[in-house]
Amino acid sequence: MPIVVETHPAYLAHDTGVGHPERPARLDAVLAGLEAAGVAEDLVWAEPRPAARADLERVHPARHLDELEAFCAAGGGRIDADTTAGPTSWDAALLAAGAGLDAIERLERGEAAAAFCAVRPPGHHATPSRSMGFCLLNNVAVAAAALADRGERVLVYDWDAHHGNGTQDAFYDDDRVLYISAHQWPLYPGTGDLDETGRGAGEGYTINLPFPPGTTGDVYLAAFDEVSAPAIDRFGPTWVIVSAGFDAHRADPLTGLNLTAGDFADLTERLLGVAPPGRLIAFLEGGYDLQALALSAGAFVAGLAGSTFRPEPASSGGPGRAVVDAAFRTREETPM
């Protein structure tokens, strides 16, 4: 099946500084992984347009956008202890946020069965009013808000090892978006506990699965089958967006989970099973061991294309089952 891959040379120009884990080589590794997966004939390459100001302002206040653009234009620098931007970073961020919008249009024209946005900088830590955690603008939230504003029901499934606090913040009181995050706990940014389930109209539309270090793929699949899938079925998404960070891999230097490329292939199958045909978009988030990132991205995109690329077996036998049980009880107490 054809898969749109949205990427752009400007992403490589986003300079985070010497020794920073979110580096241009990550994107090179992802693209090498797609080639190794043997699905080159299924890939439809596309360069996105920059997100328009109106697209961004569905998520980010105008003042924040003005300040971030001016900061980059003045040469950039360190935003916080983890996050840096340079003079080319604003253009890269606009193109990263625009990738999902272009992918939506391409999928609606029937050009592909799914889309993978291989972008930098990543986005899921960027809150509406703050850039943080390597992220400048929230790419996923911009795409989800565009869809929700025209009446779509959007599932955002985030399997990055770090909780997507920015995406959660953007939709915490919104019943048009179901946000599910499977992540390591405790870990940066310190959010994503079980009791964070939404607020107001959005109560029950946020599901957090905070797993301990060492959690393996069999536990992730159990959480999907027992907790996520029933909620997704009740929600009835018309679009699925994936925050596809690959730092839950056992080789990642910043995290302590124990997943493999085979586990990402299994999770891809689960998500394809709940996504309407031609209505799945994924965004690259984390993943900081280059070899693990290449293998995992290859397994993921091959799965989207309906092919099998499992360079590593799935993992099992780790902790985390208690989290699945606790999340199940939380869902019973706070249904949507």
Side-chain angles (χ1 to χ4, degrees), residues 312-330:
E312 300 172 316
S315 62
S316 62
R321 177 66 221 190
V323 174
V324 179
D325 296 338
F328 183 85
R329 291 192 298 270
T330 299

Side-chain angles (χ1 to χ4, degrees), residues 1 4 20 25 68 72 94 115 135-136 138 162 186 195 216 218-219 236-237 248 264 284 305 328 332 335:
M1 295 184 293
V4 167
H20 197 286
L68 181 59
C72 293
L94 291 180
C135 304
L136 301 184
N138 196 311
H162 300 87
D195 62 3
T216 44
D218 56 337
V219 176
F264 290 115
L284 178 65
F328 183 85
E332 290 185 319

Side-chain angles (χ1 to χ4, degrees), residues 223-251:
F224 192 95
D225 294 341
E226 298 173 29
V227 179
S228 300
I232 294 169
D233 184 62
R234 179 177 295 181
F235 178 68
T238 58
W239 281 82
V240 173
I241 300 179
V242 185
S243 268
F246 298 104
D247 47 3
H249 191 282
R250 61 189 177 190

Side-chain angles (χ1 to χ4, degrees), residues 11 14-24 26 60 64 68 71-72 77-86 89-90 92-94 96-97 119-127 130-139 160-166 187-189 245-247 252-255 284-290 293:
Y11 299 148
H14 169 53
D15 184 4
T16 52
V18 176
H20 197 286
E22 203 296 283
R23 57 206 190 276
R26 295 181 61 245
H60 299 288
H64 173 58
L68 181 59
F71 179 78
C72 293
R78 189 177 294 276
I79 295 173
D80 61 25
D82 303 300
T83 312
T84 60
S89 296
W90 177 250
L94 291 180
V119 303
R120 293 181 65 246
H124 76 152
H125 291 310
T127 72
R130 180 184 177 193
S131 301
M132 59 180 288
F134 309 166
C135 304
L136 301 184
L137 301 172
N138 196 311
N139 311 316
D160 191 280
H162 300 87
H163 178 246
N165 60 300
L187 194 66
Y188 179 92
F246 298 104
D247 47 3
D252 197 272
L254 302 187
T255 68
L284 178 65
E285 300 283 4
Y288 306 102
D289 178 273
L290 298 183
L293 178 58

